[in-house]
């Protein structure tokens, strides 16, 4: 991990950009931290530049609760190389949605499964590097992003103690088998009228999660209409499980 820039935000949070090989990322740490802090990995569905306003807002809230927060650029996002197969799958999905046609499992598999296979090892490598920093300690939470990525991480990464997942993306059927293997505490956010999400599939996925402690927080509204209090409740969830 190589830090490339840093700035102190107006609330004292230290923001540092870094690269991990070819992967860019950002780390935010509380300004008042005197001991190693718990860490929240913040997933997202787009490029860092496009998602920055939402990411930094989430990071500030996390820092106010005493958490460090970090994110990395996803495969095929931002300035990272595009996959021709993923771009074709994305175009096929968009065409089906615009035509009012069902989005087939085959399209979802082509779009999501390669992303999961590539993104999860990158998140684990980032976690290795972040936990090697003296200012970062455990436990670790995961928040947001493509729900299939969060599901796989919850299965394969024992250092993640709790997760907040956003039910706002298409889910391959094979991910249901992985969901049954998830055992960590979960807090799932669902926008009831999300135009890009299959509501029933999101409910079925929540039902499939094997965690003994899992909460579904559903709100009226579209994909970008998550109310502020839903984010505050997610922070309280992490405060219960990461401190």
């Amino acid at each position: 991990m190589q830090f490339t820039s840093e700035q102190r935000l107006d609330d004292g949070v230290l923001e540092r950009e870094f690269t991990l090989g070819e992967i860019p990322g950002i780390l935010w740490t509380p300004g008042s931290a005197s001991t190693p802090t718990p860490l929240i990995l913040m997933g997202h569905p787009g490029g860092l530049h496009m998602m920055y306003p939402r990411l930094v807002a989430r990071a500030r809230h996390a820092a106010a609760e005493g958490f460090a927060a970090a994110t990395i650029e996803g495969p095929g996002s931002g300035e990272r190389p595009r996959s021709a197969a993923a771009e074709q799958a994305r175009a096929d999905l968009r065409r089906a949605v615009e035509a009012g046609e069902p989005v087939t499992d085959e399209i979802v598999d082509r779009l999501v499964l390669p992303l999961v296979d590539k993104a999860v090892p990158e998140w684990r490598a980032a976690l290795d590097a972040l936990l090697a920093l003296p200012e970062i300690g455990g436990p670790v939470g995961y928040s947001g992003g493509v729900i299939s990525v969060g599901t796989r991480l919850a299965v394969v990464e024992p250092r993640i103690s709790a997760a907040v997942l956003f039910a706002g993306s298409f889910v391959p059927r094979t991910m249901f088998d992985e969901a049954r293997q998830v055992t960590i505490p979960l807090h799932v956010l669902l926008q009831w009228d999300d135009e890009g999400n299959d509501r029933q599939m999101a409910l079925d996925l929540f039902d499939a999660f094997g965690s003994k402690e899992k909460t579904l927080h559903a709100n009226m509204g579209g994909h970008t209409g998550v109310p502020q209090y839903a984010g505050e409740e997610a922070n309280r969830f992490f405060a219960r499980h990461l401190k």
Side-chain angles (χ1 to χ4, degrees):
M1 173 180 284
Q2 179 179 356
F3 288 105
T4 57
S5 70
E6 71 173 60
Q7 65 171 329
R8 185 74 66 175
L9 305 183
D10 55 15
D11 55 0
V13 173
L14 179 62
E15 176 184 279
R16 287 175 284 176
E17 296 184 358
F18 63 84
T19 56
L20 188 68
E22 300 296 320
I23 306 168
I26 309 174
L27 170 64
W28 294 270
T29 47
S32 59
S34 58
T35 58
T37 59
L39 173 66
I40 297 175
L41 301 175
M42 298 196 307
H44 59 91
L48 283 181
H49 178 73
M50 179 182 70
M51 295 295 299
Y52 177 81
R54 291 163 63 182
L55 288 166
V56 72
R58 289 165 59 190
R60 286 176 186 263
H61 287 302
E65 297 288 342
F67 301 120
T71 191
I72 57 174
E73 189 93 83
S77 298
E79 300 301 318
R80 298 190 63 187
R82 300 295 193 266
S83 160
E87 292 298 301
Q88 182 60 58
R90 188 172 291 108
D92 291 344
L93 184 148
R94 188 180 303 113
R95 190 178 304 114
V97 170
E98 291 175 351
E101 300 172 352
V103 177
T104 66
D105 291 345
E106 186 267 343
I107 293 175
V108 174
D109 288 353
R110 283 193 287 121
L111 178 63
V112 179
L113 291 178
L115 171 64
V116 173
D117 289 342
K118 188 170 181 60
V120 168
E122 293 178 352
W123 274 110
R124 299 187 77 183
L127 183 56
D128 289 340
L130 290 161
L131 289 178
L133 298 173
E135 63 269 36
I136 304 297
V140 179
Y142 178 83
S143 173
V146 177
I147 196 168
S148 294
V149 172
T151 299
R152 172 76 59 81
L153 269 172
V155 173
V156 304
E157 182 46 76
R159 293 171 293 182
I160 294 178
S161 302
V164 172
L165 303 178
F166 296 175
S169 53
F170 290 95
V171 180
R173 299 287 177 179
T174 57
M175 294 305 302
F176 283 73
D177 291 333
E178 298 192 33
R180 295 182 182 96
Q181 302 173 50
V182 175
T183 59
I184 61 174
L186 293 179
H187 182 92
V188 181
L189 296 175
L190 170 64
Q191 287 300 103
W192 201 249
D193 305 304
D194 190 339
E195 61 282 358
N197 185 38
D198 184 325
R199 182 197 301 164
Q200 188 58 54
M201 180 173 284
L203 295 173
D204 292 343
L205 181 65
F206 178 79
D207 188 49
F209 282 124
S211 303
K212 292 182 178 179
E213 180 183 340
K214 57 182 180 180
T215 300
L216 179 67
H217 192 138
N219 293 284
M220 304 303 291
H223 186 76
T224 60
V226 180
Q228 181 175 340
Y229 59 78
E232 293 170 352
E233 181 58 35
N235 285 333
R236 287 191 286 270
F237 168 82
F238 279 131
R240 292 195 299 274
H241 293 287
L242 301 186
K243 288 186 177 179

